[in-house]
Amino acid sequence: AQKVTQAQTEISVVEKEDVTLDCVYETRDTTYYLFWYKQPPSGELVFLIRRNSFDEQNEISGRYSWNFQKSTSSFNFTITASQVVDSAVYFCALLSRSGYALNFGKGTSLLVTP
Amino acid sequence: DTGVSQDPRHKITKRGQNVTFRCDPISEHNRLYWYRQTLGQGPEFLTYFQNEAQLEKSRLLSDRFSAERPKGSFSTLEIQRTEQGDSAMYLCASSFYRGLHNEQFFGPGTRLTVL
């Protein structure tokens, strides 16, 4: 069975604060893929990152960074110096090597206020 | 390269009516997926196609739902005899698959409201 848990339902921060969104996953597969998507108020899911299970290297893209730790089955997402435009619902998702459908968490709603 | 498009963006219908949604994937993508998202939840898988073949259907896809991808390009999702519980956002995604999974790109969704 596969499961993604995003324990934080809602987070509210003030602009320029750093914020970390947590993602914990469960899978019996040895090869799998992890994803983060952003869903702004317009509703369209925007792909942010894909990480393969055999690549534990952390990644940084501008103000975004991702920390993948297999030992704790976590794939956390940090936004540095948050901006109002970062306000959205963020979803973590899991896909096994042999699978086809993304298994999404319930999402974390991030509100960044000026 | 245009992204995934869906039509219509919004649909309001009365209970018992049939509705059909269309999805146009990214042109070179061979896989097409349908998901459903209800308020406060993550998207849930409904079905997917590889080229024109429908390879998997979720238990969520009752016999009132049918999906097609006739020429391996666009896809349609039809809901017959709609019920209020069908009200949701229906999302289409596409990806290019050749032995390894690539990211799925999503369309803007069709929001269905059943009165």
Side-chain angles (χ1 to χ4, degrees), chain A residues 3-112:
Chain A
K3 186 178 178 182
V4 174
T5 301
Q6 295 180 256
Q8 304 150 309
T9 306
E10 294 181 353
I11 300 176
S12 183
V13 299
V14 177
E15 209 170 17
K16 296 184 184 177
E17 285 185 12
D18 298 348
V19 58
T20 295
L21 309 181
D22 297 333
C23 173
V24 174
Y25 62 92
E26 297 174 29
T27 180
R28 294 178 182 168
D29 295 302
T30 55
T31 303
Y32 50 89
Y33 307 85
L34 295 162
F35 302 80
W36 276 94
Y37 284 85
K38 174 183 180 179
Q39 189 172 43
S42 60
E44 185 165 347
L45 278 162
V46 177
F47 165 76
L48 296 178
I49 190 172
R50 180 189 69 167
R51 173 61 68 214
N52 305 330
S53 59
F54 45 85
D55 180 5
E56 288 194 66
Q57 190 172 13
N58 293 325
E59 185 156 337
I60 298 174
S61 176
R63 296 184 297 108
Y64 293 172
S65 63
W66 292 268
N67 183 283
F68 176 33
Q69 294 204 345
K70 243 178 167 177
S71 59
T72 56
S73 298
S74 65
F75 186 42
N76 297 338
F77 173 29
T78 297
I79 302 175
T80 303
S82 59
Q83 300 176 1
V84 172
V85 293
D86 295 328
S87 297
V89 181
Y90 290 86
F91 291 96
C92 181
L94 170 67
L95 175 59
S96 70
R97 171 73 171 86
S98 59
Y100 40 84
L102 290 167
N103 286 280
F104 285 89
K106 291 191 175 183
T108 297
S109 178
L110 174 65
L111 177 63
V112 182

Side-chain angles (χ1 to χ4, degrees), chain B residues 8-70:
Chain B
R9 296 291 306 277
H10 302 273
K11 179 71 178 178
I12 300 174
T13 191
K14 292 183 179 179
R15 189 163 47 105
Q17 298 294 305
N18 299 342
V19 295
T20 299
F21 310 141
R22 177 180 170 123
C23 170
D24 286 88
I26 293 171
S27 58
E28 63 269 24
H29 285 182
N30 55 356
R31 282 195 172 180
L32 185 150
Y33 311 79
W34 286 98
Y35 291 82
R36 181 170 71 185
Q37 185 179 21
T38 53
L39 203 60
Q41 302 295 317
E44 295 175 293
F45 169 77
L46 292 178
T47 188
Y48 89 102
F49 294 82
Q50 180 151 316
N51 301 313
E52 66 276 6
Q54 187 175 18
L55 296 186
E56 193 66 37
K57 292 192 289 187
S58 159
R59 291 171 298 172
L60 292 175
L61 213 65
S62 76
D63 54 9
R64 295 185 298 105
F65 288 69
S66 62
E68 294 183 342
R69 193 183 184 198

